[in-house]
Amino acid sequence: MSFLPLTPGGQTPPRVMTIAGSDSGGGAGIQADMRTFALLGAHACVAVTAVTVQNSMGVKGFHEIPLDVIVGQIEAVVSDIGVQAAKTGMLASSDIIAAVAETWRGQGLAGTVPLVVDPVCASMHGDPLLHPSALDALRTDLFPLATLVTPNLDEVRLIVGIDVVDEASQRDAARALHALGPQWALVKGGHLRSSPESPDLLFDGTDFHEFGATRVDTGDDHGAGDTLAAATAVALAHGYTVPDAVAFAKSWVTECLRAAYPLGHGHGPVSPLFRLAVDGSS
Ligand code: PXL
């Protein structure tokens, strides 16, 4: 794969912010985002929204960060360091979603800084990471601010009520998601088991773009969605168009899936650490 441009030492790299939850197991959430940001050469800024208590076997619980602390983190970073792109992950509650959306608008970032919204609803084990009552806030407060939304098929079902089972329903879902206000909607096909490929469908209200990638058969895919959204955000920070950013992120996450490793007794994480391998050809 080809990588994004790197910044020489001593010079400031693109700054990308993740607004997301912490995974104590280090495989998903802000930890996954920061791994990808760093290994793609970006400077990672963080607004922590919630702290999960989890390991490779699941999420035991989470603690929400107070709203003023979440807002404060975003304002502190934006007012000083500045960001060229951002992504959201676990937002936990409607109050947090509303506060993030209001801050994004209030800081003048809406429409100027690319925002990738990964509408995280549950862990891969099915543990809830978003209160069901927060779906409305996601739809009405945050989606209209998004450059791109990146739901998986379970999230598509919860957000627009469409069961994606084939290409036609995947297109219907992309249209329904786009109607909620994001500039682009990506319907990830990763869980579309009927397909030997894993086509993702991107829609901007006019054109459909399809992204195929060879399925990597691994149970160690914790953090794959976060990693895709994070890599997309870094590419957008470099000025890529959304289709080019998604194409780059797909190839990145495919390599991270190939490099995934077992961890603990459950599911291991996708791994950007392949970038550091001594035998890595990149
Ligand atoms: O992969 C989605 C995700 C995002 N953020 C946090 C998570 C998870 C999945 O477990 O724990 C904090």
Side-chain angles (χ1 to χ4, degrees):
M1 68 174 294
S2 56
F3 291 105
L4 300 172
L6 293 176
T7 310
Q11 293 181 25
T12 309
R15 285 135 285 152
V16 186
M17 181 171 218
T18 173
I19 304 169
S22 165
D23 169 4
S24 50
I30 55 176
Q31 286 79 5
D33 295 340
M34 291 183 73
R35 276 155 55 110
T36 278
F37 289 176
L39 287 161
L40 289 176
H43 176 86
C45 297
V46 177
V48 188
T49 56
V51 175
T52 70
V53 177
Q54 70 174 296
N55 57 25
S56 68
M57 292 184 291
V59 179
K60 323 284 176 215
F62 62 80
H63 167 76
E64 293 172 25
I65 302 299
L67 295 180
D68 59 329
V69 178
I70 297 172
V71 169
Q73 292 172 85
I74 300 171
E75 288 178 350
V77 168
V78 170
S79 64
D80 172 37
I81 296 168
V83 293
Q84 278 73 56
K87 64 146 290 201
T88 63
M90 175 187 182
L91 296 172
S93 73
S94 52
D95 284 349
I96 293 179
I97 292 171
V100 168
E102 199 183 310
T103 308
W104 193 256
R105 275 194 308 267
Q107 294 289 305
L109 304 171
T112 58
V113 173
L115 177 66
V116 179
V117 172
D118 185 20
V120 172
C121 294
S123 76
M124 69 185 298
H125 301 89
D127 310 304
L129 298 173
L130 181 78
H131 296 296
S133 61
L135 285 169
D136 254 342
L138 203 56
R139 293 184 199 100
T140 56
D141 292 345
L142 200 56
F143 270 37
L145 299 179
T147 307
L148 171 70
V149 294
T150 63
N152 63 32
L153 297 187
D154 292 329
E155 290 154 359
V156 166
R157 195 176 307 111
L158 287 169
I159 295 163
V160 291
I162 294 176
D163 228 337
V164 173
V165 290
D166 54 18
E167 205 184 310
S169 47
Q170 197 178 18
R171 285 186 172 228
D172 289 344
R175 287 189 194 95
L177 288 160
H178 184 265
L180 294 172
Q183 288 168 34
W184 295 81
L186 181 71
V187 181
K188 294 185 288 190
H191 297 171
L192 197 54
R193 293 291 167 199
S194 57
S195 168
E197 291 261 295
S198 154
D200 292 356
L201 191 65
L202 179 66
F203 184 55
D204 69 347
T206 310
D207 296 317
F208 288 100
H209 303 250
E210 206 171 280
F211 300 88
T214 311
R215 182 183 294 287
V216 181
D217 226 342
T218 175
D220 297 323
D221 59 355
H222 187 46
D226 317 56
T227 298
L228 180 85
T232 306
V234 180
L236 291 174
H238 278 281
Y240 278 41
T241 64
V242 171
D244 286 349
V246 170
F248 168 75
K250 285 281 289 181
S251 62
W252 174 253
V253 82
T254 300
E255 291 307 314
C256 293
L257 279 160
R258 289 204 175 102
Y261 48 81
L263 193 71
H265 299 90
H267 295 279
V270 301
S271 175
L273 299 180
F274 74 90
R275 257 306 229 165
L276 301 172
V278 282
D279 62 348
S281 52
S282 56

